Amino acid sequence: MTILSAADIPSIALLYKLRKLPPTPPAHPLPTTHTPPTPAPRPSSTLNARLAVLRGDITHLAVDAVVNAANRSLLGGGGVDGAIHRAAGPQLQRACRALGGCATGSAKMTAAYGLPCRHVIHAVGPVYELGDGPRSAALLAGCYARSLALAAGAGCRSVAFSAISTGVYGFPSREAAPVALGAIRRFLEGPEGEGIDKVVIVTFEMKDVDAYNEFIPLYFPPVLEEETTAPTAETDRAKRETDAQLEAEAEAVANELPSAPTSDPSDAGRAGKKQKHDGA
Ligand code: ADP
């Protein structure tokens, strides 16, 4: 099992550069529920260096905080919640019990015990309500904002998110990804976000990989290389050197990355996952 630290996880700035992340979304129509962000997000190399996307198991990340997709009891369940509790050990459940549950759309933090990260933030996403997308979206955005505020308040510099609500709670990935990205961008641009160096979006299933590939270019657009001055032999050489360095860095990173899941979890694997208490 490979444990990755925040520095090992390539930012989207690097993924764009290496063309491992498409710079424009695919041509198919956006979900009807999607409201384009206003004002349109501007390309920012500093913001793009602070966002990462990685397909793999969140329990293998040695970041400052990982964000769990918990339920309101905070006592553990299936899916990513089960994986986090298994890897952390029984002390995590004891710590969660002392928190007395958590409201939907909010989050609470504990230590990480047997996990390689320092903190676990337990966010309670909404159960997706068909026909009540805006309410579900507001609650989901609340999970991201509250989790980031808790992380920043605890001095965390790196935070990894699981795809909250997109499993058993039924939030369509193509609706959840823009909500998550909008909330992350707002936080990173605000004063509270200054201490956060890296937010890692951890995808597990292909539907989430596809959704993030589609929406990252809309919320964190690539920075086009400016050609303000005519290239000289000197600038050409410098550019070749930088590209080679990035390429080498990326190759080193890629060799270290854990193997992504080869199949999506089966429905049987999700059985007994969570109690969907009151739909809130
Ligand atoms: P929810 O009930 O909030 O929908 P789930 O645990 O069912 O929570 O799913 C949330 C997301 O976590 C899903 O996209 C699922 O594929 C993903 N997931 C499951 N196990 C892991 C894991 N070990 N690491 C990262 N993500 C995971």
Side-chain angles (χ1 to χ4, degrees), residues 31-230:
T32 50
T33 52
H34 181 252
T35 318
T38 47
R42 289 155 54 112
S44 159
S45 47
T46 40
L47 278 179
N48 290 355
R50 293 162 74 199
L51 183 73
V53 59
L54 174 78
R55 187 175 186 207
D57 187 333
I58 201 166
T59 65
H60 296 180
L61 302 186
V63 291
D64 290 331
V66 302
V67 183
N68 180 17
N71 61 39
R72 296 202 315 158
S73 77
L74 300 186
L75 296 180
V80 69
D81 200 8
I84 284 177
H85 274 269
R86 274 193 302 279
Q91 278 176 295
L92 182 62
Q93 210 206 34
R94 281 199 282 280
C96 285
R97 198 176 292 282
L99 297 175
C102 179
T104 302
S106 192
K108 291 188 177 177
M109 187 161 70
T110 62
Y113 305 100
L115 285 163
C117 57
R118 287 176 43 218
H119 303 278
V120 180
I121 295 172
H122 306 267
V124 184
V127 175
Y128 186 74
E129 297 286 342
L130 251 191
D132 199 4
R135 180 166 176 270
S136 300
L139 289 167
L140 186 62
C143 287
Y144 282 87
R146 180 71 189 134
S147 299
L148 287 165
L150 282 173
C156 297
R157 306 195 74 88
S158 54
V159 187
F161 279 94
S162 57
I164 303 166
S165 282
T166 63
V168 162
Y169 279 8
F171 216 116
S173 297
R174 291 183 76 226
E175 293 185 37
V179 171
L181 290 165
I184 292 168
R185 180 156 182 142
R186 273 192 298 281
F187 193 88
L188 289 179
E189 285 184 317
E192 269 189 295
E194 273 167 22
I196 308 262
D197 296 332
K198 197 171 262 180
V199 174
V200 184
I201 290 165
V202 183
T203 56
F204 201 66
E205 300 179 49
M206 267 323 284
K207 65 185 177 63
D208 296 295
V209 175
D210 292 340
Y212 278 102
N213 283 350
E214 177 176 359
F215 284 99
I216 286 173
L218 289 178
Y219 284 80
F220 290 81
V223 179
L224 300 174
E225 283 174 38
E226 284 180 44
E227 301 217 2
T228 46
T229 47

Side-chain angles (χ1 to χ4, degrees), residues 239-261:
K239 184 174 177 311
R240 273 198 308 275
E241 277 173 15
T242 314
D243 285 352
Q245 194 182 328
L246 276 175
E247 195 79 51
E249 197 182 298
E251 223 166 90
V253 162
N255 289 338
E256 287 296 311
L257 293 181
S259 34

